[in-house]
Amino acid sequence: MGNRAGGRRSGPKCVAIVGPFASGKSTLLEALLARTGAIPRQNPIGSGNTVADHSAEAKAHAMSIEATVATTEFMGEQITFVDCPGSIEFAFEAEPILAACDVAVVVAEADEKKIPALQLVMRKLDELNVPRILFLNKIDKSAAAVRDTLKMLQPTSSTPLLLRQIPLRKDGIVVGSIDLALERAYVYREYAESEVTDIPSDEKARELEARFSMLETLADHDDQLMEQLLEEIEPPKDEVFDDLAADLREGLVTPVLIGSAEKGNGILRLLKAIRHDAPDVEATARRLDVSAGSSAIVQLMKSIHTSHGGKLSISRVLRGEITDSSELFGADGAAVKISGIYRMLGKDQTKLTSAKAGDTVALGKLDEALTGDTLTSSKSGIARLIDLQPPQPVFSFALRPKERKDEVKMSAAIHRLADEDPSLDLQHNQETGETILSGHGEMHLRIVREKLESRNQIPIDSQPPSIPYRETIKKSVTQRGRHRKQSGGHGQFGDVVLEIKPLPRGAGFQFTETITGGVVPRNYIPSVEAGVRDFLKTGPLGFPMVDVAVNLSDGSYHNVDSSDMAFQMAAKLAMKEGAVGCAPVMLEPIMKVEIYTPSDATARITALVPQRRGQILGYDARPAWSGWDVVEVTMPQSEIGDLIIELRSATAGVASYRATFDHMAELTGRLADEAISSAGRAA
Ligand SMILES: Nc1nc2c(ncn2[C@@H]2O[C@H](COP(=O)(O)OP(=O)(O)OP(=O)(O)O)[C@@H](O)[C@H]2O)c(=O)[nH]1
Ligand SMILES: [Mg+2]
């Protein structure tokens, strides 16, 4: 066993606070800051006075919508906590933070409904290889035995959940905890350090049993401890501590601490675990494979556009030291100059002159640098250490300012918001002229809209994006089109016969000609095609026409009056008159959709598919996701617009989907009539 932990790691740490929605992450941040003296007292979440809920939007919706960064000191060492939002709609915010933090504190609670959400968090930690401590919160209101809770939570974790504390109960209410490594009891006091007491004699047996179970788990990675347990030798406490630290750092176990963020209980034990056991920046640099070398390396975790001070880039210094005004270089070797280094406490900043390895600070005016970028002091630059891709958006709307004069202002504001939130997607639709904003749920986009309106004073109109309907024909028609004008001087003459025929779905447009004897001169045949193509942009129902073949079979011309324009006009006329007789029909896009859902909601999900005119192709276990299914369906694009809202409400907020275009299908009846009339109105 010996000194596996390699001594306690000193120096600044960065701790991400993550977990399912409303599990108490922001409350925990507040408790941690109060306990370490960064703020005078712990204010309740929702009071509007906490470090975490300083934005108007977070207050209004009583949930975190972005990460809050707060640096504090504990026993002379600096710890930066980054409280991440729990909603799946804001989940991407945590990724660049997790990538560069030393340890994650996963705030969980004894709530079965939040297990799939916890699973999502744990998977992300596995993916990014982040060591983690689980803080079992809301112990004040939980009647469940902690051991049963851990059994329930264990399937979400790829490593054993290692219980380090058990609750001390009186009349069924948790009044303190017993630390299984220290073998000491603590009686909780509200918003204050717990009082150390002896382990009550009637708790001793329970304590020993839980302690043995903790040691057994540790012994899985320590042969000497295994022998001691088999021979019933009491292992030295120091060595148990070393094992606890080493197993956490090596990602072999997930230590579990208990407490109540709301009452400020269990906070000191958590701080001590972070101080003594959590890996430091050196370990994190090794994880990211940048431990060797001397140039400074900085990882960007988050970008904020402040109302006065310009852009701030929350950054972790992984190696070396940076000073104000120094230059940093990114992947393309382009230089950015630091203008201001700040220590953050929520929205408050304190100016610094430098930052060293381990520090998490805000760097001013790195306007060209993006969240997730890696920067270095070396002129040769550095490639991004991690490639983070936001998932495919699941909710969109078309937006435009209520007043035209705000267009430029809106576009600049949206670009700032998209810089702050890389999971937002902004596209301009050439066909419809719409600006389409896409994101990860209704709330995600609602917040964007609120920010545009309240922070930038731009009133916004938003609506579901237009569906790219098409039309085609079902019958063939041969139609003559004759364009003739005699208005003094030079006349116009063009005359064509077009055979208009339906083509199979997906074939597009084909133009052919079977002109003999030069009845339409060669040089006017492209004019005929151009006229037909122009007509196809808007068919008789008002949509672009597809899957149509047109053959130019006959016609006539005039030596003087025929022209390119005249033949284009003739072709358009033939199409206009012919198309109505071809039994035009609307086509709508049908998507192939993979819906990802916890298995216990699969039946609910499959039941809502037919209500949205969807067809189930099949469902199966989601590969490598225990307890999840993939439901494969086809569904009209027009039915997918708000699908995510229903999926999320059927699954406590965790279901998601990916859609890709599959085919076009005929749309008739009432839905077609509605689409035609609304397209007519828009035109
Ligand atoms: N009983 C009890 N309630 C708590 C505790 N911690 C937090 N809460 C309550 O849980 C609710 C959510 O708390 P938050 O701290 O906002 O949770 P969060 O995890 O930050 O939420 P999001 O960031 O929106 O995911 C609030 O009503 C808190 O008062 C606790 O220890 N015990
Ligand atoms: Mg929160």
Side-chain angles (χ1 to χ4, degrees):
M1 176 149 59
N3 194 8
R4 271 184 74 204
R8 195 176 64 72
R9 309 297 164 94
S10 58
K13 285 184 178 162
C14 180
V15 180
I17 304 177
V18 292
F21 55 94
S23 63
K25 299 174 290 298
S26 300
T27 309
L28 179 64
L29 174 69
E30 190 75 6
L32 288 161
L33 295 178
R35 185 55 46 85
T36 52
I39 54 172
R41 81 187 73 78
Q42 180 176 344
N43 286 307
I45 284 294
S47 63
N49 294 323
T50 65
V51 172
D53 62 0
H54 57 79
S55 82
E57 294 80 17
K59 267 182 232 167
H61 299 288
M63 65 187 289
S64 300
I65 56 162
E66 62 179 312
T68 299
V69 184
T71 299
T72 184
E73 249 144 53
F74 178 60
M75 299 173 79
E77 277 167 22
Q78 194 178 296
I79 309 177
T80 300
F81 290 100
V82 189
D83 167 29
C84 300
S87 159
I88 188 176
E89 301 190 22
F90 303 97
F92 190 72
E93 172 89 348
E95 293 195 28
I97 292 157
L98 289 171
C101 73
D102 300 324
V103 71
V105 171
V106 181
V107 182
E109 60 189 296
D111 183 349
E112 205 178 2
K113 288 198 293 298
K114 293 188 183 176
I115 286 187
L118 178 61
Q119 197 181 4
L120 292 180
V121 171
M122 293 295 221
R123 284 190 70 95
K124 198 44 81 181
L125 296 175
D126 283 345
E127 222 174 84
L128 295 168
N129 210 1
V130 184
R132 69 216 70 161
I133 296 171
L134 191 133
F135 185 74
L136 185 58
N137 192 30
K138 306 196 186 177
I139 203 81
D140 56 301
K141 69 163 198 188
S142 171
V146 168
R147 197 192 299 192
D148 292 341
T149 303
L150 287 205
K151 243 187 229 148
M152 178 174 89
L153 302 183
Q154 180 62 62
T156 66
S157 174
S158 57
T159 57
L161 296 179
L162 180 93
L163 189 60
R164 278 197 59 170
Q165 295 170 306
I166 53 172
L168 204 56
R169 288 181 206 262
K170 200 171 176 187
D171 305 326
I173 292 169
V174 179
V175 292
S177 71
I178 299 174
D179 189 294
L180 300 172
L182 286 166
E183 297 204 90
R184 260 192 232 147
Y186 295 86
V187 176
Y188 289 154
R189 292 186 300 173
E190 265 188 38
Y191 307 118
E193 206 171 302
S194 301
E195 199 178 328
V196 184
T197 65
D198 292 332
I199 297 174
S201 53
D202 53 347
E203 296 281 359
K204 198 68 198 163
R206 208 165 60 91
E207 186 267 328
L208 283 175
E209 195 192 330
R211 176 174 158 87
F212 189 73
S213 149
M214 177 185 83
L215 294 176
E216 266 184 321
T217 306
L218 292 177
D220 284 343
H221 304 288
D222 183 341
D223 296 341
Q224 203 183 330
L225 177 60
M226 183 65 89
E227 273 170 38
Q228 289 167 338
L229 293 185
L230 289 173
E231 290 165 23
E232 294 183 25
I233 300 170
E234 181 61 31
K237 278 210 173 75
D238 277 356
E239 298 186 358
V240 173
F241 283 125
D242 280 352
D243 270 358
L244 282 167
D247 282 9
L248 166 64
R249 287 174 203 170
E250 289 163 28
L252 301 171
V253 300
T254 300
V256 178
L257 300 174
I258 61 173
S260 162
E262 192 159 80
K263 295 185 187 305
N265 296 145
I267 306 304
L268 199 61
R269 304 286 356 130
L270 175 60
L271 282 162
K272 289 206 167 155
I274 291 166
R275 175 180 157 92
H276 293 284
D277 302 346
D280 63 355
V281 71
E282 263 175 54
T284 303
R286 271 199 302 281
R287 186 177 96 213
L288 294 168
D289 207 15
V290 288
S291 51
S294 57
S295 56
I297 292 183
V298 165
Q299 179 67 28
L300 270 53
M301 297 172 135
K302 175 176 169 64
S303 309
I304 307 170
H305 287 269
T306 64
S307 48
H308 303 299
K311 179 165 160 175
L312 288 179
S313 303
I314 305 293
S315 310
R316 184 93 204 273
V317 186
L318 292 173
R319 201 173 81 184
E321 185 169 349
I322 51 172
T323 50
D324 199 356
S325 307
S326 58
E327 281 192 327
L328 295 173
F329 305 85
D332 54 4
V336 285
K337 190 171 171 193
I338 300 170
S339 173
I341 301 180
Y342 308 91
R343 173 177 162 146
M344 301 294 286
L345 185 69
K347 64 179 187 329
D348 299 329
Q349 301 141 29
T350 314
K351 204 161 172 26
L352 306 170
T353 50
S354 67
K356 61 177 190 311
D359 286 343
T360 307
V361 290
L363 303 180
K365 308 265 166 59
L366 303 185
D367 290 344
E368 305 304 315
L370 303 174
T371 302
D373 278 358
T374 310
L375 301 173
T376 175
S377 58
S378 156
K379 283 202 164 63
S380 48
I382 186 170
R384 272 188 170 210
L385 294 179
I386 25 215
D387 188 28
L388 300 170
Q389 290 300 333
Q392 192 190 54
V394 292
F395 194 75
S396 302
F397 59 48
L399 80 176
R400 61 160 182 249
K402 282 207 165 89
E403 293 171 51
R404 268 199 87 106
K405 67 170 173 55
D406 285 338
E407 259 166 26
V408 174
K409 204 167 135 195
M410 181 184 89
S411 156
I414 294 181
H415 280 102
R416 277 196 302 275
L417 291 175
D419 188 39
E420 287 184 334
D421 180 355
S423 75
L424 273 180
D425 182 61
L426 189 68
Q427 304 278 344
H428 183 76
N429 185 329
Q430 293 284 359
E431 187 181 318
T432 59
E434 290 170 330
T435 299
I436 310 286
L437 190 69
S438 306
H440 298 280
E442 193 193 18
M443 181 61 82
H444 188 203
L445 294 194
R446 189 190 305 175
I447 299 282
V448 173
R449 208 191 127 136
E450 286 176 10
K451 285 181 177 171
L452 286 172
E453 299 201 316
S454 67
R455 296 187 188 178
N456 303 280
Q457 279 85 46
I458 307 171
I460 298 289
D461 264 337
S462 61
Q463 59 194 67
S466 311
I467 304 294
Y469 292 114
R470 296 287 180 266
E471 57 178 276
T472 189
I473 52 172
K474 299 181 82 169
K475 278 207 232 152
S476 302
V477 157
T478 300
Q479 177 70 44
R480 165 155 251 138
R482 200 176 233 270
H483 177 69
R484 157 176 238 164
K485 245 184 198 161
Q486 207 66 56
S487 50
H490 217 313
Q492 293 180 35
F493 184 86
D495 173 34
V496 297
V497 175
L498 300 181
E499 296 167 353
I500 312 167
K501 281 191 211 149
L503 281 178
R505 202 61 63 244
F509 169 61
Q510 274 172 19
F511 181 81
T512 51
E513 50 88 13
T514 47
I515 293 295
T516 49
V519 290
V520 175
R522 288 282 114 198
N523 56 322
Y524 292 136
I525 290 176
S527 315
V528 176
E529 179 173 352
V532 173
R533 282 187 186 274
D534 196 45
F535 174 80
L536 293 178
K537 285 182 195 157
T538 321
L541 302 178
F543 302 99
M545 289 185 86
V546 294
D547 305 340
V548 178
V550 173
N551 182 51
L552 170 63
S553 60
D554 201 358
S556 62
Y557 75 104
H558 187 279
N559 260 341
V560 178
D561 292 347
S562 281
S563 65
D564 168 44
M565 195 40 82
F567 270 101
Q568 284 199 38
M569 296 299 290
K572 269 197 246 183
L573 206 64
M575 288 302 295
K576 188 166 178 217
E577 285 171 6
V580 282
C582 291
V585 64
M586 261 186 87
L587 294 176
E588 66 168 339
I590 308 290
M591 312 295 277
K592 183 133 168 214
V593 189
E594 281 189 355
I595 301 171
Y596 311 112
T597 173
S599 312
D600 60 0
T602 302
R604 253 168 290 154
I605 300 288
T606 52
L608 62 84
V609 171
Q611 293 161 25
R612 292 177 173 266
R613 298 188 294 131
Q615 276 190 336
I616 294 168
L617 303 177
Y619 59 92
D620 213 338
R622 185 174 188 185
W625 282 65
S626 81
W628 283 63
D629 286 341
V630 191
V631 183
E632 263 201 3
V633 308
T634 51
M635 192 177 276
Q637 188 178 344
S638 63
E639 301 284 346
I640 294 175
D642 58 357
L643 173 68
I644 195 65
I645 298 172
E646 221 171 346
L647 294 181
R648 295 266 159 85
S649 76
T651 57
V654 293
S656 202
Y657 73 81
R658 267 187 77 85
T660 45
F661 173 76
D662 197 62
H663 64 279
M664 300 296 284
E666 281 182 24
L667 178 67
T668 53
R670 183 179 55 82
L671 290 171
D673 295 343
E674 279 171 17
I676 292 166
S677 72
S678 74
R681 268 199 308 281

